[in-house]
Amino acid sequence: MAEVNINAIFDKVLRLMKSGKKKDVINIYKKLTESNQSSSDIANMFAQISLQNNLVHDGIFWLKKSLEINAHQPNMLLNLGVALFQKKEFSESIKCYKKVIEMDKKNPLIYFNLGLSYLHNNDIEKAFECYKKSISLKPDYVEALNGLGRVSHLQKNYIDALNYFDKAINIKNNYAEIYYNKAITLTKLKRNIQAIENYNYAITYKNDYFEAFYNQANLYLELKQHDKALASYNRAIELNSDYHESYNGKGNLYLELKQLDKALASYNRAIELNSDYHESYNGKGITLLSLKKYDKALQSFKKGIELKPDFNGYIYGDFLHTKAFMCDWDDQNKILEHIKKKLNENKKVSNPFPLLSLIDDPLTHKKASETYISENFPQQDNFGPVEHKKHKKIRIGYFSSDFKDHPISYLTAELFEKHDKSFFEVYTFSFSAEDEENYYQQRIKKGSTYFFNVSMLSDVEVVHLARKNEIDIAIDLNGFTYGSRTNIFSYRVAKVQISFLGYLGSMGSPYYDYLISDEIIIPKDFQKFYTEKILYIQNYQCNDTKRIISNKKFSKEELGLPSGKFIFTSANSSYKITPLIFNSWLKILNSVPNSILWLIEDNEFAKKNLLIKFQNKGIKKDRIFFSKKIPYSDYLARLKIADLSLDTHPYNAGTTASDALWAGVPMVTFLGMSFASRMSASILTSAGLSELIASSKESYENLAIDLASNKEKMNLIKQKLKNITKTDLFNIEKFTKNFEIQLFNTLLDNDE
């Protein structure tokens, strides 16, 4: 038969294959074999036509047909293994490669392919053995070395993985995939700068490597190099506009920059491209939570959980936190049990912060912090230990995102002013944008020896700046609160690193050396719940004695409050109102019929849900009142109208407690186990009002009822409050002196 006729026949076969006319192709095959053509050869040719045109299913059919005729064809078996691998039939491809090895035990390619099939079949031990065999037959087999690196990475043998990747690079230094894989391993080791360099190499040798741009962008984001992160995300999108993960990454970037509308648009685009991508629903939920669109945030979190109930992330904590803001307590206990179970398995399930208001269990809080730190901010040794000469003055560095109108500034503004500048230099590192009009930021700026706005600097740049200024003691005023930059402390910016005020619990980290507390908040036998050493001071909370109460006179009438009623109040955020405290308030209101409860209107959902819950329990709507948030000085003036503040549990009032006392309003609380549940007891003790601290929930209820019913007792408390400014709680000079002594002793201990 002439060659031209064969080519014409093969063109016809290809058209029939593409049309799915399998019977017609088989008929041609029969005619060819009847005309003395080799059946096996023709089947192989048909297989090649199929595979060369990505008709893998047809290719497999003809390869099998050929092997039925002649089983001893190692090349055809190898081709069949490759085709089955393409179809993701890994177990079948493994069988093929094993048969080939029986015929040819010296071919490194076969062992490599077998290893690849084992790898995709999740049998990494056997994959490792196969790659090893390939290398023994061909020591410079770059692809096999790359495979050994990948397997070692999966086995969490990261140093071994790097060694294999480096061996491969020494043989072939322009292989983009190896640099890419090496970067992934370096990321696991938190060697992010080196990882970025290797992504750059990968991009150099493969300039359309959109996955490398995407991963690189994630690292830039982690390092707070936002402009570079955005450029890399955009480049990844230019190269592959359907890559949903790049849009998700941009959403994370904009969320961190607090450009919430852009974040929402990016997450929505990611979801448009892949409606099953659970991580985008999580990011979208966090964005909506930040926008206080709690109902929509809840829907997004629910969708993320529905898509992946076993999602190894923090969505369950964010989900419960959103519900807490709304005072929606359905299924709360069930989800909390799930969170505890996952934490005991060392799984990611919740950020530490939401748990402070949900569980009065410092051991669970510690576990959540340890898990979170280990996953996100492990200790970094890139810059080595902090070593510098002693200074004439001790250099204290305060780091915070809250040097603005924020409770942290309401407490600390005067501390910076009162520090003894003859012995201390105060360095403040602000993560917030510069605001020349902000009263508190400008006070803190003037009270500092040096003020640095580092909001536009990367984490590494902040570390360099702090080390350049030879900070002796670094104090993190954020912890795990909004705007925190824990990663900075993972590199270590000072010889002594301390957590204070922002996060009420253990940071669960080896690089936070001390946690500041007093013996009420953390009794000596509670130290086991904290990874830090406890730095005890006499009174925990410092207070700005220059906080201004406006001269505005509020009346009950203008606030819509009834006259002649005893006014219970709580100015805490709605997420701190728990079922436990709600039931206590219910009992108190029922026991004091001539009383009302006055709350802050945090959001419409919480207001609606609380009103429904109270009415369902027999408390009429005209006994529950809400007021909007107003400027701080006016809020303090308005607060004076209340008779008694009711604390929340397990997350107590903090600044809100000292605000109430400053305004002349007493507050009752009860002791729990966790840091957050003992905060108010510390404040009341400093204020000389320890009689307002109950030992249990029942005692708290009885104490509130008694004070509301006993004018004589209440008048005695009110008389004491007239001298509140003379108590330790508002003695900022005494606090500062005690604080400085403890800092000095701590530095002395660490210099020995």
Side-chain angles (χ1 to χ4, degrees), residues 196-216:
I196 288 171
E197 290 173 356
N198 277 273
Y199 282 128
N200 279 331
Y201 286 129
I203 291 162
T204 298
Y205 298 116
K206 185 182 177 184
N207 57 19
D208 61 349
Y209 211 154
F210 66 91
E211 298 97 334
F213 279 107
Y214 164 73
N215 285 351
Q216 184 185 64

Side-chain angles (χ1 to χ4, degrees), residues 288-534:
L288 291 164
L289 176 59
S290 300
L291 289 165
K292 298 189 176 182
K293 296 180 179 180
Y294 299 114
D295 55 337
K296 292 181 179 178
L298 208 59
Q299 290 173 11
S300 195
F301 288 135
K302 279 182 178 177
K303 183 64 176 177
I305 291 170
E306 177 189 314
L307 286 169
K308 195 168 183 181
D310 61 343
F311 176 39
N312 190 22
Y314 307 109
I315 193 167
Y316 282 97
D318 292 327
F319 176 64
L320 268 191
H321 198 44
T322 304
K323 286 167 66 71
F325 270 108
M326 301 170 73
C327 293
D328 174 359
W329 306 318
D330 292 343
D331 297 325
Q332 186 180 90
N333 289 335
K334 180 182 175 182
I335 299 169
L336 281 175
E337 287 306 312
H338 173 78
I339 287 173
K340 288 179 183 178
K341 180 176 179 291
K342 289 293 183 183
L343 285 174
N344 287 333
E345 296 170 356
N346 298 313
K347 297 288 182 62
K348 296 188 295 183
V349 66
S350 175
N351 291 316
F353 183 78
L355 298 181
L356 297 185
S357 61
L358 296 167
I359 306 172
D360 183 23
D361 181 0
L363 195 58
T364 297
H365 297 164
K366 177 185 173 186
K367 187 69 175 174
S369 294
E370 287 175 326
T371 303
Y372 187 70
I373 282 284
S374 174
E375 181 67 29
N376 296 284
F377 309 113
Q379 184 167 314
Q380 303 292 318
D381 299 318
N382 303 52
F383 301 109
V386 175
E387 294 178 344
H388 53 69
K389 65 182 184 298
K390 288 186 179 181
H391 310 111
K392 290 181 179 178
K393 298 179 183 180
I394 294 173
R395 300 181 181 185
I396 309 173
Y398 290 93
F399 297 74
S400 180
S401 64
D402 300 323
F403 295 142
K404 54 187 178 182
D405 277 315
H406 188 278
I408 290 295
S409 291
Y410 304 159
L411 297 177
T412 62
E414 199 170 359
L415 171 64
F416 300 105
E417 296 166 349
K418 292 295 183 183
H419 266 307
D420 187 343
K421 303 304 194 303
S422 62
F423 290 100
F424 294 89
E425 288 183 345
V426 177
Y427 294 70
T428 44
F429 297 82
S430 175
F431 306 151
S432 295
E434 190 84 34
D435 186 354
E436 293 182 2
E437 302 299 318
N438 188 273
Y439 168 73
Y440 282 99
Q441 188 179 95
Q442 293 310 305
R443 271 187 65 191
I444 291 168
K445 192 172 184 178
K446 288 176 183 176
S448 304
T449 313
Y450 300 98
F451 182 91
F452 299 102
N453 187 294
V454 296
S455 58
M456 300 306 291
L457 298 185
S458 70
D459 288 349
V460 170
E461 288 171 327
V462 176
V463 175
H464 280 304
L465 179 63
R467 287 199 172 209
K468 179 183 176 183
N469 282 277
E470 298 185 349
I471 304 300
D472 295 305
I473 300 172
I475 300 176
D476 181 6
L477 294 173
N478 268 113
F480 293 128
T481 59
Y482 188 67
S484 62
R485 293 179 65 174
T486 311
N487 197 45
I488 288 169
F489 297 90
S490 73
Y491 290 98
R492 192 164 280 277
V493 292
K495 189 171 185 179
V496 176
Q497 299 194 148
I498 299 174
S499 176
F500 180 45
L501 275 182
Y503 180 71
L504 307 185
S506 176
M507 292 297 290
S509 156
Y511 48 80
Y512 282 91
D513 307 300
Y514 295 91
L515 173 63
I516 293 175
S517 178
D518 58 35
E519 291 195 33
I520 294 173
I521 294 173
I522 305 178
K524 292 285 175 63
D525 57 345
F526 280 26
Q527 291 183 11
K528 61 189 175 185
F529 301 129
Y530 303 87
T531 56
E532 304 89 345
K533 294 177 184 176
I534 308 304

Side-chain angles (χ1 to χ4, degrees), residues 659-710:
D659 284 344
L661 300 178
W662 185 255
V665 181
M667 184 187 74
V668 292
T669 190
F670 67 99
L671 285 163
M673 290 288 291
S674 60
F675 194 123
S677 69
R678 302 175 70 87
M679 179 76 169
S680 291
S682 168
I683 292 167
L684 288 168
T685 301
S686 298
L689 293 166
S690 56
E691 64 266 37
L692 298 180
I693 305 166
S695 59
S696 67
K697 172 180 174 289
E698 291 73 22
S699 300
Y700 161 84
E701 295 161 0
N702 293 334
L703 179 57
I705 294 164
D706 186 35
L707 287 170
S709 308
N710 192 321

